[in-house]
Structures are given as C-alpha cells and as structure tokens.
Amino acid sequence: PNGSGSEPASGDSRRSQARFNVEVRNIATQALVQSLYLSEEAPTGIINGSGGKQVWAIGSHTVWRLMPVPIQQQVEEVLSAGQYDEAISLVAQSDSILESEKQDLTIKICWLRARWLFRDQAKYEEALNEFTDLDATPTEAIALCPERIAGDLAEDDESDVGSVSDNGDGDDNGDNGTDAPVAEDAGADETLPSAATPPKKRLKPKQVIWKEALYALMRYLTEHRRALQRAITENRREQEYVVRVLFQDDEDQNDDENKAYSDKVGRSRSSTVDDDSLPHVRLKRLAFSLERMGIPVAAMAQVVDTTLLKVYLECSPGLLGPLLRVKNYCDVEQSEGLLLEHKRYSELVDLYHGKGLYRNALQLLQSQGKSSEGGSLHGSYPVVRYLLRLPAEQFELVLEYVKWPIQVGMEREESLTENDGESGSDSSTDSEDWPTPSSIVSMVFADDRPASELFPHLRVATFLHQMSSRLAI
C-alpha cells in the first residue's frame, strides 16, 4: 500500500483531507499495474487471504476487499495500455489456469505484440522476425501493409482486432474496461484505470515512411518464397502455418470465455465470495484463436509472389526481371494491371512468356514497336528477338507475327531505293531497331536453334514466296 496524500483544488471541506491509494504492482517486474483510490481514511494494514486470492486493506473504520479478476481480463487491461511484456509476465505468474492455457495465451500475446511492433512502433524487422518465430502465415504480415501492397488482404483500421486503437481503449463504447483488482467498499472512491503508460496514437500508413517496411517485407517474403519453392520441389501440396481465426460472434464468445475463467477462479476462492460481484470486460484483443492448418502451396505461392512484385515496383524495380524471368506464381490479372500502370513493358513481356501467353507478349511488342514512345521496345527488332524464344509448337504464331517485321523491312528498303541520294546515317541508326527482311528470315528460319530446325521447311518456303519471291530459301 502507498499512503500518499493529495490536496484537491476544491475548497469543499469534505474533500480537503488527504486521499489514500493502494498500488498494485507486478511481483516479477515491480511495474505499476493499477492504483486503487480509497477514501480519506488511511489504510493501516494489508492482509492476504484465501491463499493470495483475496487482499484485505484495513483502516480505522473500513475494510476494503480486493480480488483478482480472471487472468484473461487482467491481460486485456494490460494490453489496452500497450504493455505486452507485462501481459506475458502476468500470464507466467498465474496459477489459475493450466500450463497449456498459459502457453496458448502467451503465444497470442506475442502475436499481438508482433502486430503492434509493425503498425504502431515501426519496428518492422523485429515484428517480422516475431511472426517467423510464431510460424505465422505470410498473409498476417501482408495484411498490415497499405492497400496498395496488401490488396484485398488489407485490414480495416477501425475493426482491427488485436491492435491498440487510436484512443487507447479496446471497447466499442469508449470505456476503459475493468480494472484488474476490484475494491469493494461503499465508501471507497472509484477505482482508476491501469496506471501503465497509455499507448501512442497509431500512425496511419500514409504518415509512415514505408521504404523501411517494404525492404523488411521484401526480405521476409523472399524467405517464404524459398520455403514454398522447396515444398513445390518436394511435391508437397500443402504447407503448414499458424493462422489467426477471429471468433464468429465476439460477444457470445467473450461471455463464454469470461464465464469459464470465472468458474475456474471461483473454485479456488472461499465459498463466501460472490462471483457475480466481479465485473467483466469484452475480450476484444483476445477474441481470436491461433490454429495450425495446412494451406495449399500454390495458393500461398501466388499471394507471396504477387506481393513481392508489388514491393519490387515500389522500392526495387530492378528485381522485377529476375522474378518474372523464372518460374513464378504471380497472379496474371493483378500483375498485368500493375505493370501496365507503371509502364514496365519489358517485364510484362517476361510475365506473359513465363505464363505461356505468347500471343499477349507479341501483341504488346508489336504495339510498342509501332509507338514512338516505345522506348527500348521501339522498332521491329524486339518482335523478331521474341520470336526466337518461341518453341517449335508455336510455328503458326511465328508465321502470324513475323509478317509485320518483314513487311516493314521491305517498305523501308523501297523507300531507301527511291531516295537514292539521301544520307544513310539515320538509316544506319534505325537498322538496329528495324532489321532488313533478309536478316529477319535468316534469324527466324535459317539459324541453328532447335525450333527452326523443326519448322516444316516446305511451309516456310511457301510462306516466304507469298510475301516476296526474293525471300524464298
């Protein structure tokens, strides 16, 4: 007990006397958990009763009874102040729940701490390391990012279960909840909320420098990508993760939880204690369970690769090519839209090629080749170069899309012939982007790559003769 007195500002004689309070501290850390203000009467002693389940504060004319509330409610109160280490310490000291329940509750607190570190403290690397230690599904970390990264997984800040809200309380009505111990006395002043330091207001994603978060997320997802690649190599269809499952009906679930814990605590109390006198709080932050379940490898790989592509677009565009030129599981529709939006046409060609969408790639190359803003894809040479990448099975597609480079080449040759005296400096420069018809035929149909050797030679000769008798080989 701490018998500290204070003089109120009011001149009322009834309140001019000193007031006294009892401090409740964590035995292990000595951190102040709660201050219970009593009346003006100074307590003269403290007595432990019922094996520590009740505490009696004795004054000259008054006796105050303090009782612990269920451990989950205590944890909820400490979490509302952002004191995650204190919550873990309280669980470790509790003797009202089984060891298995202690472990489950501790893991849930660590899970919430990881979310808090990421969203409220900007300690991204530490938070993601915690998620890794907990074997959490990658979607848990992805969901904490802005919508431009998380997409449909992005969480609604206002309904975020398990993180500290802007005003620091965990209930919908704005109350501070229930104090951990409860003082019973008709003459006692109201009990105060936890004396722990209130949480800082959560920074909105747009107010945070996300570069650091994105680099941390990039490293985190790369590790998961390697693990998923191993699972694919080993022909495993599922990968096990720990998944957070929100309770379907918060209020009913919380009532059941509170009743169960009250029953457990009640069995250890004296029979004279009335359980109904214990206030309950809604366990908003703890209203979830953690379950280990198998997630389809292909589905998780798609989420990880698509998110990596979004991260690369924002902070490391140079890594897009290495991602898309190898086997990947990026969602085509999302990735296509993002790459077009950022005008990453070369990387989009790589995406199409990796997914077997050869026609899409050729259509894009041809449109960019004709455009004056095509950049590195301007001209007919990118189309020809891509045709060399196609397998022999795509022979019909090769014939369809080799027409445009050959036709353009013939038109340019005719133009140069008509303007016999014109300088060739520009044409020399253009020839790098606009190969001649003969060089196109040589590259596509007459080189020594396996695909060209498998092309039907008679059909090739007929096709070239139809375009120009000078091209037949």
Side-chain angles (χ1 to χ4, degrees):
N2 178 19
S4 58
S6 61
E7 290 291 337
S10 171
D12 191 336
S13 60
R14 273 190 312 107
R15 305 190 59 187
S16 62
Q17 302 177 22
R19 294 171 48 164
F20 298 89
N21 65 288
V22 173
E23 291 183 351
V24 180
R25 291 184 178 271
N26 186 322
I27 295 175
T29 65
Q30 292 300 301
L32 180 62
V33 175
Q34 184 181 24
S35 288
L36 296 172
Y37 281 112
L38 307 179
S39 62
E40 290 78 8
E41 181 181 353
T44 59
I46 295 287
I47 297 177
N48 260 332
S50 300
K53 301 301 181 184
Q54 298 178 45
V55 175
W56 302 84
I58 302 172
S60 301
H61 304 91
T62 313
V63 175
W64 295 270
R65 180 178 64 170
L66 283 70
M67 298 179 298
V69 297
I71 185 62
Q72 283 215 357
Q73 293 187 27
Q74 295 183 41
V75 169
E76 185 79 16
E77 283 300 306
V78 176
L79 290 179
S80 70
Q83 301 295 319
Y84 293 87
D85 291 333
E86 283 298 311
I88 292 173
S89 177
L90 283 175
V91 173
Q93 296 172 59
S94 174
D95 59 359
S96 63
I97 56 176
L98 301 174
E99 285 299 320
S100 60
E101 293 174 317
K102 281 187 182 182
Q103 183 179 4
D104 291 344
L105 192 51
T106 300
I107 292 174
K108 289 173 74 171
I109 297 170
C110 290
W111 191 283
L112 296 179
R113 180 173 61 184
R115 294 169 58 84
W116 172 72
L117 287 170
F118 194 99
R119 299 195 80 163
D120 297 303
Q121 302 300 302
K123 296 181 179 179
Y124 308 114
E125 204 75 57
E126 185 178 348
L128 295 174
N129 287 340
E130 184 110 48
F131 278 132
T132 300
D133 293 340
L134 293 168
D135 207 13
T137 171
T139 55
E140 184 70 24
I142 294 171
L144 300 177
C145 293
E147 187 175 356
R148 65 180 183 273
I149 299 296
D152 293 339
L153 294 174
E155 295 182 352
D156 180 1
D157 284 349
E158 297 302 321
S159 62
D160 185 22
V161 177
S163 62
V164 181
S165 61
D166 288 344
N167 63 3
D169 76 59
D171 214 335
D172 295 337
N173 58 11
D175 295 338
N176 284 324
T178 304
D179 301 319
V182 182
E184 290 190 349
D185 175 68
D189 289 340
E190 61 184 88
T191 58
L192 290 185
S194 170
T197 304
K200 296 179 181 178
K201 184 175 181 179
R202 177 162 56 203
L203 295 175
K204 299 298 182 183
K206 64 182 179 181
Q207 298 171 298
V208 178
I209 300 176
W210 277 104
K211 213 73 168 178
E212 181 184 346
L214 292 173
Y215 279 118
L217 186 65
M218 181 171 64
R219 290 187 287 271
Y220 174 77
L221 293 176
T222 300
E223 288 300 317
H224 276 283
R225 188 172 194 273
R226 292 194 186 108
L228 290 166
Q229 290 293 339
R230 286 195 297 270
I232 293 170
T233 302
E234 297 169 4
N235 293 320
R236 280 187 277 137
R237 301 184 64 182
E238 291 187 343
Q239 181 87 336
E240 283 198 349
Y241 293 102
V242 175
V243 179
R244 180 172 61 116
V245 180
L246 299 180
F247 293 147
Q248 293 297 320
D249 190 334
D250 281 355
E251 194 162 348
D252 293 344
Q253 183 68 40
N254 290 332
D255 288 343
D256 292 343
E257 293 282 337
N258 290 340
K259 184 177 184 302
Y261 276 88
S262 294
D263 290 344
K264 291 178 183 178
V265 175
R267 285 195 292 271
S268 63
R269 290 199 186 106
S270 166
S271 59
T272 60
V273 177
D274 182 9
D275 287 346
D276 292 336
S277 66
L278 295 177
H280 290 162
V281 295
R282 289 188 64 200
L283 304 180
K284 182 177 180 180
R285 290 170 180 79
L286 297 171
F288 67 93
S289 62
L290 296 176
E291 300 179 11
R292 181 171 289 277
M293 59 179 65
I295 306 295
V297 171
M300 185 57 70
Q302 184 180 81
V303 172
V304 169
D305 282 3
T306 305
T307 306
L308 263 178
L309 181 140
K310 295 175 183 178
V311 173
Y312 289 162
L313 277 170
E314 291 214 10
C315 64
S316 296
L319 294 176
L320 286 168
L323 172 67
L324 297 174
R325 283 194 289 269
V326 298
K327 183 175 177 59
N328 64 80
Y329 291 84
C330 293
D331 180 79
V332 174
E333 185 176 352
Q334 283 192 59
S335 303
E336 180 184 47
L338 289 166
L339 293 170
L340 285 172
E341 180 184 344
H342 289 79
K343 298 182 178 181
R344 308 295 301 194
Y345 302 119
S346 295
E347 289 82 358
L348 182 53
V349 170
D350 290 331
L351 173 71
Y352 286 147
H353 188 79
K355 302 297 183 182
L357 301 173
Y358 308 124
R359 182 178 295 277
N360 297 53
L362 286 165
Q363 287 174 346
L364 176 63
L365 288 169
Q366 185 167 307
S367 65
Q368 290 300 305
K370 295 176 179 179
S371 172
S372 59
E373 299 178 357
S376 63
L377 300 183
H378 178 66
S380 62
Y381 182 65
V383 175
V384 176
R385 185 174 54 194
Y386 186 79
L387 291 174
L388 302 181
R389 299 171 62 184
L390 296 182
E393 294 78 12
Q394 299 299 320
F395 175 68
E396 298 295 337
L397 198 62
V398 170
L399 293 185
E400 180 180 348
Y401 278 91
V402 79
K403 288 179 181 179
W404 175 70
I406 292 176
Q407 288 171 346
V408 171
M410 290 190 297
E411 291 170 2
R412 287 174 59 81
E413 284 185 340
E414 291 175 3
S415 176
L416 288 174
T417 302
E418 292 174 0
N419 300 281
D420 192 33
E422 189 175 338
S423 173
S425 58
D426 288 340
S427 63
S428 175
T429 302
D430 286 348
S431 65
E432 297 178 3
D433 299 326
W434 305 91
T436 62
S438 60
S439 63
I440 294 172
V441 172
S442 177
M443 283 188 287
V444 176
F445 298 111
D447 70 346
D448 58 355
R449 75 184 194 282
S452 64
E453 293 179 356
L454 293 174
F455 288 158
H457 295 169
L458 182 58
R459 284 203 59 191
V460 170
T462 303
F463 168 80
L464 294 176
H465 183 73
Q466 289 174 346
M467 294 203 71
S468 173
S469 58
R470 294 184 290 111
L471 297 177
I473 57 174

